[in-house]
Amino acid sequence: MAGLRIEGEQEPLLGDTPGSREWDILETEEHYKSRWRSIRILYLTMFLSSVGFSIVMLSIWPYLQKIDQTADTRFLGWVIASYSLGQMVASPIFGLWSNYRPRKEPLIVSIFISVAANCLYAYVHIPASHNKYYMLVARGLLGIGAGNVAVVRSYTAGATSLQERTSSMANISMCQALGFILGPVFQTCFAFIGEKGVTWDVIKLRINMYTTPVLLSAFLGILNIILILAILREHRVDDSGRQCKNINFEEASTDEIQVPQGNIDQVAVVAINVLFFVALFVFAVFETIGERAILLGGLIVVWVGFFILLPWGNQFPRIQWEDLHNNSIPNTTFGEIIIGLWKSPMEDGNERPTGCSIEQAWCLYTPVIHLAQFLTSVVLIGVGYPVCNLMSYTLYSKILGPKPQGVYMGWLTASGSGARILGPVFISQVYAHWGPRWAFSLVCGIVVLTITLLGVVYRRLIALSVRYGRIQE
């Protein structure tokens, strides 16, 4: 039949009922095109959300120092963490909202919050005092806006068949990662403007290397809202690809089928939340085959990466004896670690001392980590993390089935945000006081416990439709 696809082909639109030779229309060509246009708009939304996060990461510290001289490295840590904290709080709320109302509503509101946050960031230099707190609020609001990640993933999970879902979730993760990577690249394009830039006196807007990136992000956010209003439509299909009655859309047609009933496996849901938390936790520490087997393989690769990173041998690092002050161990913060990314190797015309600080007692008995170790670990963790991330989201969406997933996706996103908050705190405290051996050993232990958890719930990590026999695994 023209304009229709057959189940089992690359783009299924027709399916035969088990035990019958009759064909059931799953989807018209018009519906298929509209569904995938909507999903691709959400790919763009995810990309722009990630760009909004990373486009100012390299300039936060110098800009913070410029607008408020009282800001220190500890406060920088709070500014950076405020994004994840805002996202952690907002994700379940937007997810719940999307379960009962058209997904356009939480998407547009969240993007508008992000636009407002970027505008506030561009004006944080205006107040006479407490400028650092305005920046803190701006980054926190941006994190709240980024809570729409739960809506994006929930919509995509509900608008794709079981066969389409893995590739769709992979595309979302790719757009998210691409946004993180290109954000700093976009920022460097505005470096030529300089710190002074120009001032638009009418609205007191200072356009310089610090504010131009967020103004671009705000403009892209407005464009994203327009595209969502113009293109995004409510679509929902079951695991086989058949159109389902959509509670988010009041004009559901009478030929749409009802969502198959069945209880969600709550143990599997909680387990995926824990697995996802650990996956993002170890990634934050580091930066800061079926799907279950791939997830297990990804965790094992991550474990091997951290195991290789452990200090071995009898070669010890050089010591910075000149840094000895009162024989005390410094209370290093996450912000102080981040500062190293911005500081020049030359300060006051003198080369900074190299080697392990004597203030950290573990430097005296902990072997060095060789470059080959580090590079091998980078490759392994860089391969293992995205595998764990993608498989966690994919399995999670399949376990939940075709029911509205907004709240559940919100909790999963909140879990990841919590990991990004705790990861830097963990590494800054454990590493500073006990060194890399303890820090990476504890991470290895956490991953081993996670692999054990995965083994315990392994048989339960299956799609809802497979568990109830509607689809063969």
Side-chain angles (χ1 to χ4, degrees):
M1 296 176 64
L4 296 178
R5 294 170 287 121
I6 308 300
E7 187 171 16
E9 295 183 353
Q10 186 175 2
E11 298 178 349
L13 271 183
L14 295 178
D16 54 346
T17 305
S20 171
R21 294 181 179 271
E22 297 181 355
W23 295 99
D24 297 326
I25 296 180
L26 300 183
E27 188 177 41
T28 65
E29 191 68 26
E30 180 182 357
H31 182 275
Y32 172 80
K33 290 180 178 179
S34 174
R35 180 165 65 93
W36 279 101
R37 277 197 301 266
S38 299
I39 292 173
R40 287 169 186 136
I41 285 296
L42 296 185
Y43 290 167
L44 175 64
T45 301
M46 180 66 81
F47 172 77
L48 294 179
S49 176
S50 297
V51 168
F53 167 76
S54 63
I55 198 168
V56 297
M57 283 303 295
L58 296 179
S59 65
I60 283 183
W61 175 239
Y63 190 39
L64 182 59
Q65 286 184 307
K66 185 178 179 64
I67 63 172
D68 197 328
Q69 297 297 323
T70 65
D72 57 12
T73 57
R74 292 178 181 273
F75 194 82
L76 173 65
W78 283 107
V79 170
I80 294 173
S82 63
Y83 177 93
S84 295
L85 183 61
Q87 188 181 47
M88 181 174 68
V89 172
S91 294
I93 297 174
F94 286 132
L96 179 64
W97 188 351
S98 71
N99 272 5
Y100 298 99
R101 297 289 301 170
R103 265 72 66 95
K104 283 185 178 180
E105 293 180 7
L107 284 172
I108 291 173
V109 169
S110 61
I111 296 172
F112 180 80
I113 292 174
S114 296
V115 170
N118 282 315
C119 293
L120 175 61
Y121 188 94
Y123 279 96
V124 294
H125 64 280
I126 296 294
S129 61
H130 305 299
N131 305 73
K132 62 183 182 182
Y133 295 107
Y134 289 98
M135 179 179 283
L136 180 71
V137 171
R139 292 298 291 179
L141 285 174
L142 191 65
I144 291 175
N148 61 18
V149 170
V151 183
V152 171
R153 294 191 184 275
S154 172
Y155 181 98
T156 305
T160 53
S161 67
L162 209 60
Q163 184 180 6
E164 299 167 329
R165 197 161 307 156
T166 300
S167 60
S168 299
M169 288 296 182
N171 289 336
I172 289 178
S173 296
M174 180 189 69
C175 291
Q176 186 177 32
L178 195 61
F180 284 136
I181 294 170
L182 294 182
V185 176
F186 294 153
Q187 183 180 37
T188 59
C189 296
F190 301 111
F192 71 93
I193 300 176
E195 291 189 344
K196 186 176 181 180
V198 296
T199 302
W200 191 352
D201 294 325
V202 176
I203 57 176
K204 297 182 180 180
L205 177 62
R206 186 176 298 169
I207 303 175
N208 56 27
M209 61 183 293
Y210 301 126
T211 61
T212 306
V214 294
L215 294 174
L216 172 63
S217 185
F219 171 77
L220 293 176
I222 294 173
L223 180 61
N224 194 12
I225 290 176
I226 295 173
L227 291 174
I228 288 174
L229 287 171
I231 298 176
L232 185 70
R233 298 292 181 267
E234 295 291 338
H235 292 288
R236 194 154 170 246
V237 299
D238 67 3
D239 286 346
S240 299
R242 295 178 175 85
Q243 299 180 45
C244 295
K245 184 177 180 181
N246 199 326
I247 63 172
N248 307 84
F249 187 45
E250 63 278 4
E251 299 180 9
S253 60
T254 56
D255 60 344
E256 292 176 332
I257 66 171
Q258 298 291 329
V259 177
Q261 297 299 312
N263 295 323
I264 295 172
D265 190 335
Q266 297 293 342
V267 173
V269 169
V270 173
I272 289 292
N273 272 274
V274 174
L275 293 167
F276 185 67
F277 177 91
V278 173
L280 266 73
F281 180 85
V282 298
F283 181 72
V285 166
F286 185 71
E287 67 173 0
T288 42
I289 337 189
E291 288 149 348
R292 295 172 294 174
I294 294 174
L295 176 58
L296 177 60
L299 287 171
I300 292 174
V301 169
V302 169
W303 181 86
V304 172
F306 275 98
F307 185 78
I308 290 175
L309 201 55
L310 292 173
W312 301 97
N314 54 10
Q315 181 181 348
F316 297 94
R318 291 195 305 168
I319 304 298
Q320 296 180 22
W321 297 102
E322 61 271 27
D323 282 353
L324 180 61
H325 298 293
N326 301 324
N327 295 320
S328 61
I329 297 178
N331 185 20
T332 307
T333 65
F334 172 56
E336 289 167 338
I337 293 177
I338 294 296
I339 290 303
L341 299 176
W342 288 299
K343 281 190 174 180
S344 168
M346 301 290 289
E347 291 187 355
D348 301 326
N350 298 319
E351 186 177 355
R352 293 174 60 197
T354 59
C356 195
S357 175
I358 188 59
E359 295 181 357
Q360 296 171 323
W362 51 264
C363 293
L364 298 175
Y365 54 81
T366 303
V368 298
I369 297 176
H370 298 281
L371 180 61
Q373 280 180 266
F374 177 75
L375 294 178
T376 304
S377 179
V378 166
V379 172
L380 291 173
I381 297 174
V383 169
Y385 165 72
V387 169
C388 295
N389 185 297
L390 171 60
M391 289 302 106
S392 295
Y393 270 118
T394 302
L395 279 170
Y396 195 66
S397 67
K398 291 183 177 181
I399 290 168
L400 296 175
K403 295 182 178 181
Q405 300 183 6
V407 174
Y408 286 102
M409 283 294 179
W411 285 118
L412 189 63
T413 302
S415 172
S417 299
R420 290 196 300 270
I421 295 172
L422 294 178
V425 175
F426 170 85
I427 195 62
S428 64
Q429 296 301 319
V430 176
Y431 189 94
H433 288 85
W434 295 296
R437 178 171 285 168
W438 271 100
F440 300 144
S441 293
L442 287 174
V443 172
C444 287
I446 292 172
V447 177
V448 168
L449 291 176
T450 306
I451 292 173
T452 303
L453 171 64
L454 178 58
V456 171
V457 300
Y458 190 84
R459 294 183 179 276
R460 307 185 73 148
L461 303 183
I462 56 176
L464 184 70
S465 54
V466 173
R467 186 156 68 94
Y468 284 95
R470 291 191 287 268
I471 292 180
Q472 295 298 318
E473 186 174 20

